[in-house]
Amino acid sequence: MGNHSLNRTRIAIIDDQAITLHGMYTLLNKLNDFQVVGRYVHSRELLAELAGLDADVLVMDFALAVDDMDGISLIRLLQTQHPTLAILVISAIYNSATVLLALHAGARGFISKSMHAEELARAVGNVANGQIHLMPEMALELTQLFNADLTPHPHPAADNVTQPSLDFSLLSPREQEVIQCFIDGMSVSEIADKFKRSIKTISGQKQAALRKLGFSSDRNFLQHYEALHGAEPPLS
């Protein structure tokens, strides 16, 4: 990668929101240093075509559609299949725990969707050049909170990775009560019965809470909880 005509950085984009996807495409493709070679709303389309794109950078939304892969799983899969691809995450979910999880999964940068458009172009250029890109405030926060090694880890299962704390303030009150019951070992049906809500509603609230906290699955969340608290939660 990287040896293209006009030395342009070749970029692929994935975001399930059509307006956001078009905005990023328009912004990046008008710059002389960049060429957008693919844009996608679902990971299956991206994965089917990525090998033929010869892309240098992937700009990806962290939280795709509900029927799509979660951000962490997609980053890990891409690191396995396309290890030289530089991944830049852009998301409305922008907190230290989520950013650190993405970096350890293999992302090279993480910016908020609330940033100015110019920040996206700067971030793409930096990750394409092998740098890690974070907003200065986020980099400082990670260093202070976790003494974090900000180097991406393609294989993030090492036991000595510092574990970010769980910021339950990110959750709505109902999501907080659902996730607490989940930690206490209650099933979705038991939680639904407790709060007199439908199983579908409780399941949706639990999955929304896990996404906001930056986790790809029930197991990942429970393993993280165990690492933080030194004991396995009731639900295994």
Side-chain angles (χ1 to χ4, degrees):
M1 293 189 307
N3 188 21
H4 312 297
S5 61
L6 302 177
N7 292 319
R8 284 184 168 184
T9 297
R10 293 170 63 88
I11 305 164
I13 308 171
I14 180 169
D15 194 301
D16 66 319
Q17 297 181 347
I19 293 176
T20 303
L21 187 67
H22 179 73
M24 289 192 292
Y25 170 83
T26 301
L27 170 69
L28 294 172
N29 219 32
K30 72 179 183 180
L31 300 176
N32 292 333
D33 293 337
F34 299 147
Q35 179 183 5
V36 178
V37 294
R39 45 180 170 167
Y40 306 91
V41 296
H42 201 285
S43 64
R44 64 174 174 267
E45 302 163 347
L46 169 72
L47 295 169
E49 298 185 13
L50 190 56
L53 295 180
D54 196 21
D56 302 300
V57 176
L58 172 68
V59 179
M60 60 166 280
D61 187 10
F62 185 78
L64 297 171
V66 293
D67 64 337
D68 205 342
M69 297 178 67
D70 64 272
I72 296 298
S73 295
L74 181 56
I75 293 170
R76 289 174 177 167
L77 179 60
L78 290 167
Q79 279 290 295
T80 300
Q81 296 184 352
H82 305 278
T84 60
L85 181 69
I87 300 173
L88 171 66
V89 179
I90 179 169
S91 180
I93 305 171
Y94 192 67
N95 58 76
S96 53
T98 303
V99 172
L100 189 60
L101 285 168
L103 291 177
H104 279 301
R108 298 207 65 86
F110 199 123
I111 62 174
S112 169
K113 284 188 173 181
S114 66
M115 300 298 173
H116 294 296
E118 293 78 7
E119 183 64 25
L120 174 61
R122 187 180 304 111
V124 169
N126 285 343
V127 300
N129 290 326
Q131 302 174 39
I132 300 214
H133 186 95
L134 297 174
M135 297 303 297
E137 297 84 357
M138 178 58 68
L140 179 60
E141 181 178 350
L142 289 178
T143 302
Q144 291 176 337
L145 287 177
F146 310 125
N147 193 23
D149 172 11
L150 298 183
T151 303
H153 294 271
H155 304 287
D159 292 335
N160 61 353
V161 174
T162 302
Q163 298 290 337
S165 60
L166 297 173
D167 186 0
F168 291 106
S169 67
L170 299 170
L171 311 182
S172 71
R174 290 198 169 188
E175 289 167 351
Q176 289 183 30
E177 61 190 13
V178 168
I179 208 68
Q180 185 58 59
C181 289
F182 176 60
I183 290 171
D184 291 340
M186 297 176 66
S187 68
V188 168
S189 59
E190 289 171 335
I191 301 171
D193 185 61
K194 174 181 174 68
F195 295 114
K196 308 303 180 188
R197 300 175 209 155
S198 70
I199 291 176
K200 181 178 180 180
T201 296
I202 294 297
S203 178
Q205 289 169 341
K206 187 187 77 169
Q207 294 306 316
L210 292 177
R211 284 197 301 271
K212 288 180 182 179
L213 293 170
F215 293 95
S216 58
S217 68
D218 294 359
R219 181 173 295 276
N220 285 347
F221 172 76
L222 294 173
Q223 289 174 342
H224 183 88
Y225 184 93
E226 178 182 353
L228 281 175
H229 296 276
E232 186 174 354
L235 184 61
S236 59

